Amino acid sequence: MKGILLVNLGSPRSTAVKDVREYLDEFLMDEKVIDYRWFFRALLVQGIILNTRPAKSAEAYKTVWTDEGSPLIVITQKIQKKLQKLVDVPVEIGMRYAQPSIEAGIQKLIDQGVTEIVLFPLYPQYAMSTTETVIEKAEEVRKKKFPGIKINYIQPFYNREIYIDCLAESIREKLPENFDALQFSYHGVPERHIYKTDPTNTCNLNDCCSRENNPSHQFCYRHQCFDVTNSVIKKLGLPKEKVMVTFQSRLGKDKWMEPYTDETLETIGKKGVKNLAIVCPAFVSDCLETLEEISVEGKHQFEHGGGENFHYIPCLNDEDRWIDVVKTLCEEKLNEFYLV
């Protein structure tokens, strides 16, 4: 019997500081997120970050928390329920960090008789801190706890036409009539992550992203972000001069991909961008990074820097057109089981 496991990032159990600290500990101690050797990672995370950041992050979570709970968890549950109505196999969810865990999601499927699982990491682009860590964790759980099951992984879908059409139409419907610029803000990663995930050793974080074909593109998060942007603006028929790409959510003093979203928001108002629309296509579900970092803090940064009208465009969330894309991608992988 087959089943589907939708996997997203995860969220603290609550906005209590202790729960946020527990979540950040698991998240930031992942070597795919902060890729230092264990001793130095522990020194940074458990010796410094967890002594200062949890209280601040807890206050940020309080600004986006709903009566139902964490927005990311709630939205993922809505996706699950809508998808379940469209497919005839069990659908469960798991989170890479905190609860419900990937192990718990697999167990729920097994309890329903499932032996073959399509696991869908809900990230459009490939990165070691997203897709790679999800697959690695799921394989670790499978080998230790469920060696008898098979897992078929859905790969990054950033360049699938059905996804680009879905994203473009969602943006088109929400784009203000009058805007000076459309900003695509992607979650950032340290530049060294790009080199680490390139098995071809051909990426130079420069012109290779713009080449039509380069062997590193399959694993290059930066290229995939620009590819999504270019495909969407082509669908929307927007002039390139009205579009910009930036990267948000950097942590620490390491060199992250540029340009930075916050610095851009603080300066573009003075450069004539008074009416800004912004979208975050690294996420399919609204979460702390979109609802607080961009929609609240980003708006403040833009207005403080001379901007006037700030319009955040929500993620795909549980839009029916997105659920149809999820269904199609899952069914493709389900059918592959029959071909083995």
Side-chain angles (χ1 to χ4, degrees):
M1 184 176 174
K2 298 166 182 60
I4 297 169
L5 184 66
L6 305 175
V7 178
N8 218 326
L9 177 71
S11 181
R13 297 174 186 268
S14 75
T15 60
V17 173
K18 65 179 181 61
D19 288 336
V20 175
R21 180 181 289 110
E22 179 182 354
Y23 170 76
L24 290 176
D25 188 20
E26 182 182 2
F27 174 43
L28 297 176
M29 281 301 292
D30 182 354
E31 65 179 352
K32 299 295 183 180
V33 175
I34 296 181
D35 54 328
Y36 298 161
R37 286 184 292 175
W38 185 90
F39 174 80
F40 295 106
R41 188 165 68 252
L43 190 65
L44 173 64
V45 175
Q46 298 172 344
I48 300 175
I49 295 177
L50 294 185
N51 289 322
T52 57
R53 185 160 176 163
K56 182 179 179 181
S57 294
E59 290 303 311
Y61 273 109
K62 288 177 183 178
T63 67
V64 303
W65 215 259
T66 71
D67 292 340
E68 298 169 283
S70 160
L72 183 139
I73 302 291
V74 171
I75 291 167
T76 307
Q77 290 171 334
K78 290 180 178 178
I79 295 172
Q80 172 203 6
K81 291 175 182 177
K82 284 191 172 184
L83 179 63
Q84 185 65 84
K85 293 179 180 179
L86 300 178
V87 298
D88 57 3
V89 301
V91 181
E92 297 294 342
I93 66 171
M95 298 292 145
R96 174 57 185 89
Y97 311 104
Q99 298 296 324
S101 65
I102 290 174
E103 180 179 338
I106 293 175
Q107 185 65 63
K108 280 189 174 183
L109 290 172
I110 290 176
D111 291 344
Q112 297 172 72
V114 170
T115 57
E116 298 174 326
I117 297 172
V118 167
L119 190 150
F120 192 170
L122 293 170
Y123 306 106
Q125 301 88 18
Y126 177 92
M128 62 184 283
S129 55
T130 56
T131 311
E132 186 174 318
T133 189
V134 166
I135 293 175
E136 193 170 277
K137 181 66 175 181
E139 281 300 300
E140 175 189 316
V141 169
R142 183 186 66 81
K143 290 174 183 177
K144 288 184 178 179
K145 301 283 187 176
F146 314 108
I149 68 166
K150 296 179 181 178
I151 302 180
N152 206 350
Y153 297 95
I154 294 179
Q155 298 303 314
F157 48 93
Y158 73 98
N159 59 351
R160 293 294 301 271
E161 188 171 359
I162 54 172
Y163 164 69
I164 294 299
D165 286 342
C166 173
L167 179 60
E169 286 307 307
S170 181
I171 293 172
R172 189 194 307 274
E173 289 181 1
K174 302 175 182 71
L175 197 60
E177 191 170 322
N178 298 310
F179 65 96
D180 300 321
L182 173 60
Q183 183 172 351
F184 285 71
S185 177
Y186 294 88
H187 198 291
V189 300
E191 286 188 351
R192 66 177 180 276
H193 282 202
I194 302 298
Y195 296 118
K196 281 190 172 184
T197 56
D198 175 21
T200 69
N201 294 317
T202 60
C203 181
N204 60 16
L205 277 175
N206 193 4
D207 66 323
C208 65
C209 280
S210 60
R211 294 178 198 163
E212 186 171 336
N213 292 298
N214 200 66
S216 67
H217 287 174
Q218 182 182 354
F219 304 99
C220 181
Y221 176 73
R222 184 176 185 272
H223 161 76
Q224 294 177 14
C225 292
F226 280 103
D227 193 68
V228 168
T229 303
N230 292 333
S231 297
V232 168
I233 64 175
K234 184 177 180 180
K235 289 280 184 183
L236 295 176
L238 297 177
K240 288 187 176 181
E241 57 268 22
K242 292 191 71 170
V243 176
M244 66 186 82
V245 173
T246 60
F247 299 93
Q248 66 183 82
S249 309
R250 67 187 187 279
L251 175 68
K253 297 181 180 180
D254 294 322
K255 182 71 178 297
W256 284 49
M257 290 191 302
E258 295 178 316
Y260 300 139
T261 294
D262 55 355
E263 291 183 358
T264 301
L265 288 171
E266 291 167 357
T267 58
I268 55 176
K270 297 174 183 177
K271 297 178 180 179
V273 176
K274 301 301 181 183
N275 303 294
L276 177 70
I278 186 167
V279 64
C280 300
F283 307 93
V284 297
S285 309
D286 275 310
C287 54
L288 183 72
E289 286 81 359
T290 64
L291 298 173
E292 195 275 338
E293 183 180 353
I294 297 300
S295 190
V296 177
E297 289 300 316
K299 182 175 186 289
H300 174 74
Q301 290 161 349
F302 176 66
E303 291 175 345
H304 185 263
E308 295 176 1
N309 298 306
F310 180 95
H311 182 82
Y312 169 66
I313 297 175
C315 295
L316 294 170
N317 294 326
D318 65 331
E319 292 181 17
D320 290 343
R321 61 165 68 89
W322 166 234
I323 306 303
D324 287 337
V325 172
V326 175
K327 174 179 179 288
T328 298
L329 296 175
C330 287
E331 287 182 337
E332 287 176 356
K333 286 297 178 180
L334 286 170
N335 289 335
E336 287 183 7
F337 281 121
Y338 295 105
L339 301 176
V340 176

